[in-house]
Amino acid sequence: QVQLVEFGGGLVQAGGSLRLSCAASGSTFSIDACGWYRQAPGKQRELLAAITKGGSTNYADSVKGRFTISRNNAKNTVYLQMNSLKPEDTAVYYCNADLRSTRSSLNAWGQGTLVTVSS
């Protein structure tokens, strides 16, 4: 059974950096298009950044210039580098991806990883 797993959340001071990783377990599936989302308490889940299989990227205005999405297709992993973090970046961060094997495709969410930015 394929799963998306996020790594790298934690507590960081304002102005600091974190790198999140999103990997697909169940090695027969590869990550196609992928997006990073976040959800803060009492707020809707928002799309922050997206990347295609070929590496084209898009960003929400709220993170443009501070966050960078990238991927390593050989490792079947997508990353979110977060710099200049602010307290308002505190949220649970999720990855969502289209996963593809030779026989099937599906869309999956990770379980989320908590990022806390202290002031």
Side-chain angles (χ1 to χ4, degrees):
Q1 182 177 357
V2 64
Q3 288 184 317
L4 283 179
V5 182
E6 297 107 338
F7 303 92
L11 175 64
V12 64
Q13 288 189 330
S17 298
L18 283 175
R19 188 175 82 156
L20 306 182
S21 301
C22 173
S25 66
S27 59
T28 58
F29 282 84
S30 63
I31 295 177
D32 199 335
C34 182
W36 280 99
Y37 294 73
R38 70 184 176 193
Q39 187 165 20
K43 294 189 176 182
Q44 289 188 328
R45 190 171 297 189
E46 61 171 330
L47 175 62
L48 304 176
I51 189 167
T52 65
K53 183 74 171 183
S56 298
T57 58
N58 280 292
Y59 296 92
D61 288 343
S62 58
V63 303
K64 197 173 293 183
R66 299 190 299 126
F67 291 10
T68 302
I69 189 170
S70 62
R71 64 190 301 150
N72 184 325
N73 289 335
K75 294 185 177 181
N76 208 22
T77 302
V78 175
Y79 306 97
L80 186 68
Q81 177 68 42
M82 305 186 295
N83 299 328
S84 303
L85 283 162
K86 307 174 183 179
E88 52 264 42
D89 293 318
T90 295
V92 178
Y93 284 69
Y94 300 89
C95 63
N96 173 266
D98 294 326
L99 302 171
R100 194 175 305 277
S101 73
T102 55
R103 296 187 176 185
S104 64
S105 62
L106 57 96
N107 182 269
W109 287 91
Q111 83 286 357
T113 185
L114 177 63
V115 172
T116 304
V117 184
S118 63
S119 58

